[in-house]
Amino acid sequence: MIPAAFDYVAPTSVEDALAALAQYGDDAKIIAGGQSLLPVLRMRLNAPEWIIDLGKIESLRGIRDDGDAIVVGAMTPHAVVGSDPLVAEHAALIAQAVEHLADAQVRHRGTFGGALAHADPAGDLGAPALALGAEFVIAGSGGSRTVAADDFFVDLFETAIGEDEILTEVRIPKRTGWGATYEKFVRVAHQWPIVAVAATVRVDGGTIAEARIGLTNMGSTPLRARAVEDALAGQPATADAVRAAAEHATDGTNPPSDLNGDADYRRHLATVLTRRAVLAAAGA
């Protein structure tokens, strides 16, 4: 289908984008890479009068080192994030997740911030960002504010970004030297995950000193498997210890039931994938 007619503006600064958003209000939608919005427009599930394109705002692109964190601009394409040496060294879990994200075309057109702002619970980036303790920098007319990942994902396709605000960058604390694995279960290649698990683990002398685990598509938002993290702390990096801890993977989850599998099937997958992800991240 062809989208309904709309007017188009492409600001070149965050300030101009915010001004356009304030001017057009509920009649406007922001477009980043367009990999989520364009299909919605083509199916006429949404028909905004204005499209505000962030693609010409160069300040929203790029990756930089900022002391104890790396900072990813919201308009940085997935392919750039996945191939960046800073990401590989300090946030390997993000690099792993990007490798599994959709296909090459989407990875080159889609943006890091756009995918996170879309907040699809089946998206591949939410769980890694949550597990790594990312922080989201959001700009509005009153200035910028920073929101922790725990508070960013509010509900299904809903985030802490206000109607008059724009996500500008994502700060990811460095986990240098941590093992990382993103385990994703799909029926066909490039599909949204039925379930996925993002695990990053710090091993010290054969013992799991710390683990951080995110779950994809196990609720209306990405979730932390905190019960597994607690059960792993101080345990040997062995198959038996990890298997026992992984039994807690579904604690506090509320997985959906759909054509790809019911809630019980997803609970089983989450347990199996958590065990695999943690063992691989721990190098066991």
Side-chain angles (χ1 to χ4, degrees):
M1 292 179 64
I2 298 173
F6 56 80
D7 288 307
Y8 172 87
V9 61
T12 57
S13 70
V14 172
E15 293 75 19
D16 288 346
L18 290 170
L21 196 55
Q23 180 178 351
Y24 304 123
D26 293 339
D27 295 327
K29 292 289 289 185
I30 288 175
I31 189 168
Q35 301 307 294
S36 299
L37 180 60
L38 285 177
V40 170
L41 296 180
R42 291 186 64 185
M43 291 185 286
R44 299 204 176 191
L45 297 176
N46 200 314
E49 295 183 15
W50 284 86
I51 293 293
I52 302 171
D53 187 352
L54 305 183
K56 293 186 178 180
I57 306 178
E58 289 300 320
S59 64
L60 296 182
R61 299 179 186 273
I63 300 166
R64 69 180 191 274
D65 192 318
D66 192 26
D68 59 355
I70 59 173
V71 181
V72 182
M75 287 295 293
T76 308
H78 300 305
V80 173
V81 175
S83 62
D84 188 90
L86 282 175
V87 175
E89 181 179 2
H90 303 298
L93 188 55
I94 296 294
Q96 287 246 350
V98 169
E99 183 179 338
H100 291 275
L101 192 153
D103 56 25
Q105 177 175 314
V106 170
R107 290 193 294 272
H108 280 81
R109 291 293 303 169
T111 64
F112 191 71
L116 289 165
H118 185 56
D120 189 330
D124 287 302
L125 297 181
L130 189 63
L132 290 170
E135 294 180 328
F136 297 80
V137 181
I138 300 168
S141 58
S144 293
R145 61 191 180 97
T146 301
V147 178
D150 287 339
D151 301 316
F152 181 76
F153 300 103
V154 176
D155 206 343
L156 187 71
F157 298 109
E158 182 182 353
T159 71
I161 304 172
E163 294 294 328
D164 59 346
E165 295 180 316
I166 294 172
L167 177 66
T168 58
E169 61 187 29
V170 182
R171 297 179 55 84
I172 304 169
K174 291 180 178 178
R175 309 284 174 188
T176 313
W178 289 47
T181 298
Y182 187 67
E183 285 281 346
K184 175 178 176 177
F185 186 85
V186 296
R187 294 190 185 279
V188 295
H190 312 314
Q191 186 186 35
W192 297 106
I194 299 173
V195 173
V197 176
T200 187
V201 178
R202 180 169 62 87
V203 177
D204 185 5
T207 297
I208 296 175
E210 189 176 357
R212 302 176 69 91
I213 301 164
L215 305 176
T216 300
N217 216 7
M218 287 298 289
S220 60
T221 67
L223 299 171
R224 283 279 294 277
R226 296 186 186 277
V228 178
E229 295 172 1
D230 292 342
L232 286 170
Q235 296 297 312
T238 63
D240 288 343
V242 171
R243 182 180 294 107
E247 293 299 320
H248 298 284
T250 61
D251 291 5
T253 65
N254 184 27
S257 292
D258 56 29
L259 291 175
N260 287 312
D262 62 18
D264 286 339
Y265 179 57
R266 282 187 162 89
R267 292 187 185 97
H268 168 72
L269 285 176
T271 301
V272 172
L273 295 177
T274 297
R275 174 174 54 82
R276 292 178 182 175
V278 171
L279 283 172

